[in-house]
Amino acid sequence: AQTVTQSQPEMSVQEAETVTLSCTYDTSESDYYLFWYKQPPSRQMILVIRQEAYKQQNATENRFSVNFQKAAKSFSLKISDSQLGDAAMYFCAHVWGAQKLVFGQGTRLTINP
Amino acid sequence: DTGVSQDPRHKITKRGQNVTFRCDPISEHNRLYWYRQTLGQGPEFLTYFQNEAQLEKSRLLSDRFSAERPKGSFSTLEIQRTEQGDSAMYLCASSLDRGSEASQETQYFGPGTRLLVL
């Protein structure tokens, strides 16, 4: 079975600092995609960043970047210059084949002013 | 483009009642997905449509659940004889499948319908 594991239920960081959220996944597929989604309290899930497994270059979107280690099946999210608006649940997700997303359990990120 | 919309946003019902939720995807998106999210957990896949065809259903989707997308646009998810265990957030997402095996279009989520079964 395809699984996604986020081992950090909660993380906190000081405003303007950098934080890294961890994610590992298990798949037998060679061609797949990985995503980080953000879900603020009582608000809808929005895409933060995506990574194609066939690309060696790590994806970057402004202050958000990933460290994709395909052999280790690891996909961490780094948030630089953390802002109060970054506070949310962050979900790592994996998709292949039939394109149904498989999500991790989530990491609740708190930003301390 | 107004994004994915869902209606209602909240639903409280009594055990044994039937409920129906609606999802309107982004207008040009041909794929539509339903997920269920319980408190403190990540969403779990329920079912998805390619245009009007329902292509896959999860084991989570018991025979009390039925989903339709009759004209390939909006979709409905009905739960019959609701149980307390059905209480959850029901999320809809849509994407544009361009038909290439190499492409994986991003799924965009709606705000969800939060169901509470008393």
PDB file of all heavy atoms in Angstrom, chain B residues 58-66:
ATOM      1  N   SER B  58     -13.350   4.149  -3.268  1.00  0.00           N
ATOM      2  CA  SER B  58     -12.594   3.602  -2.154  1.00  0.00           C
ATOM      3  C   SER B  58     -13.449   2.602  -1.372  1.00  0.00           C
ATOM      4  O   SER B  58     -14.683   2.647  -1.406  1.00  0.00           O
ATOM      5  CB  SER B  58     -12.163   4.739  -1.236  1.00  0.00           C
ATOM      6  OG  SER B  58     -11.793   4.277   0.042  1.00  0.00           O
ATOM      7  N   ARG B  59     -12.754   1.740  -0.636  1.00  0.00           N
ATOM      8  CA  ARG B  59     -13.479   0.827   0.264  1.00  0.00           C
ATOM      9  C   ARG B  59     -14.195   1.604   1.362  1.00  0.00           C
ATOM     10  O   ARG B  59     -15.115   1.093   1.994  1.00  0.00           O
ATOM     11  CB  ARG B  59     -12.500  -0.155   0.899  1.00  0.00           C
ATOM     12  CG  ARG B  59     -11.913  -1.161  -0.070  1.00  0.00           C
ATOM     13  CD  ARG B  59     -10.805  -1.949   0.598  1.00  0.00           C
ATOM     14  NE  ARG B  59      -9.705  -1.088   0.994  1.00  0.00           N
ATOM     15  CZ  ARG B  59      -8.677  -1.496   1.715  1.00  0.00           C
ATOM     16  NH1 ARG B  59      -8.603  -2.733   2.126  1.00  0.00           N
ATOM     17  NH2 ARG B  59      -7.708  -0.657   2.032  1.00  0.00           N
ATOM     18  N   LEU B  60     -13.756   2.848   1.592  1.00  0.00           N
ATOM     19  CA  LEU B  60     -14.419   3.687   2.586  1.00  0.00           C
ATOM     20  C   LEU B  60     -15.837   4.029   2.171  1.00  0.00           C
ATOM     21  O   LEU B  60     -16.675   4.382   2.998  1.00  0.00           O
ATOM     22  CB  LEU B  60     -13.634   4.986   2.788  1.00  0.00           C
ATOM     23  CG  LEU B  60     -12.254   4.889   3.423  1.00  0.00           C
ATOM     24  CD1 LEU B  60     -11.589   6.258   3.410  1.00  0.00           C
ATOM     25  CD2 LEU B  60     -12.352   4.347   4.834  1.00  0.00           C
ATOM     26  N   LEU B  61     -16.101   3.953   0.878  1.00  0.00           N
ATOM     27  CA  LEU B  61     -17.402   4.348   0.352  1.00  0.00           C
ATOM     28  C   LEU B  61     -18.353   3.161   0.456  1.00  0.00           C
ATOM     29  O   LEU B  61     -18.469   2.349  -0.466  1.00  0.00           O
ATOM     30  CB  LEU B  61     -17.239   4.794  -1.096  1.00  0.00           C
ATOM     31  CG  LEU B  61     -18.149   5.927  -1.591  1.00  0.00           C
ATOM     32  CD1 LEU B  61     -17.884   7.204  -0.830  1.00  0.00           C
ATOM     33  CD2 LEU B  61     -17.965   6.140  -3.083  1.00  0.00           C
ATOM     34  N   SER B  62     -19.040   3.090   1.610  1.00  0.00           N
ATOM     35  CA  SER B  62     -19.966   1.978   1.813  1.00  0.00           C
ATOM     36  C   SER B  62     -21.184   2.146   0.908  1.00  0.00           C
ATOM     37  O   SER B  62     -21.338   3.156   0.229  1.00  0.00           O
ATOM     38  CB  SER B  62     -20.407   1.941   3.278  1.00  0.00           C
ATOM     39  OG  SER B  62     -21.353   2.966   3.527  1.00  0.00           O
ATOM     40  N   ASP B  63     -22.083   1.140   0.941  1.00  0.00           N
ATOM     41  CA  ASP B  63     -23.250   1.199   0.059  1.00  0.00           C
ATOM     42  C   ASP B  63     -24.241   2.278   0.486  1.00  0.00           C
ATOM     43  O   ASP B  63     -25.220   2.539  -0.210  1.00  0.00           O
ATOM     44  CB  ASP B  63     -23.925  -0.177  -0.037  1.00  0.00           C
ATOM     45  CG  ASP B  63     -24.308  -0.716   1.320  1.00  0.00           C
ATOM     46  OD1 ASP B  63     -24.151   0.016   2.315  1.00  0.00           O
ATOM     47  OD2 ASP B  63     -24.743  -1.878   1.389  1.00  0.00           O
ATOM     48  N   ARG B  64     -23.984   2.926   1.615  1.00  0.00           N
ATOM     49  CA  ARG B  64     -24.850   4.040   2.014  1.00  0.00           C
ATOM     50  C   ARG B  64     -24.437   5.341   1.301  1.00  0.00           C
ATOM     51  O   ARG B  64     -25.172   6.323   1.346  1.00  0.00           O
ATOM     52  CB  ARG B  64     -24.780   4.257   3.520  1.00  0.00           C
ATOM     53  CG  ARG B  64     -25.309   3.092   4.343  1.00  0.00           C
ATOM     54  CD  ARG B  64     -25.319   3.419   5.827  1.00  0.00           C
ATOM     55  NE  ARG B  64     -23.979   3.675   6.350  1.00  0.00           N
ATOM     56  CZ  ARG B  64     -23.516   4.884   6.660  1.00  0.00           C
ATOM     57  NH1 ARG B  64     -24.277   5.954   6.501  1.00  0.00           N
ATOM     58  NH2 ARG B  64     -22.289   5.018   7.131  1.00  0.00           N
ATOM     59  N   PHE B  65     -23.288   5.305   0.705  1.00  0.00           N
ATOM     60  CA  PHE B  65     -22.771   6.484   0.017  1.00  0.00           C
ATOM     61  C   PHE B  65     -22.967   6.322  -1.490  1.00  0.00           C
ATOM     62  O   PHE B  65     -22.705   5.251  -2.051  1.00  0.00           O
ATOM     63  CB  PHE B  65     -21.266   6.648   0.273  1.00  0.00           C
ATOM     64  CG  PHE B  65     -20.908   7.091   1.652  1.00  0.00           C
ATOM     65  CD1 PHE B  65     -21.060   6.240   2.736  1.00  0.00           C
ATOM     66  CD2 PHE B  65     -20.394   8.355   1.878  1.00  0.00           C
ATOM     67  CE1 PHE B  65     -20.712   6.646   4.013  1.00  0.00           C
ATOM     68  CE2 PHE B  65     -20.039   8.768   3.149  1.00  0.00           C
ATOM     69  CZ  PHE B  65     -20.197   7.919   4.222  1.00  0.00           C
ATOM     70  N   SER B  66     -23.387   7.406  -2.132  1.00  0.00           N
ATOM     71  CA  SER B  66     -23.456   7.392  -3.590  1.00  0.00           C
ATOM     72  C   SER B  66     -23.056   8.766  -4.117  1.00  0.00           C
ATOM     73  O   SER B  66     -23.401   9.791  -3.525  1.00  0.00           O
ATOM     74  CB  SER B  66     -24.847   7.020  -4.081  1.00  0.00           C
ATOM     75  OG  SER B  66     -25.798   7.965  -3.654  1.00  0.00           O
TER      76      SER B  66
END
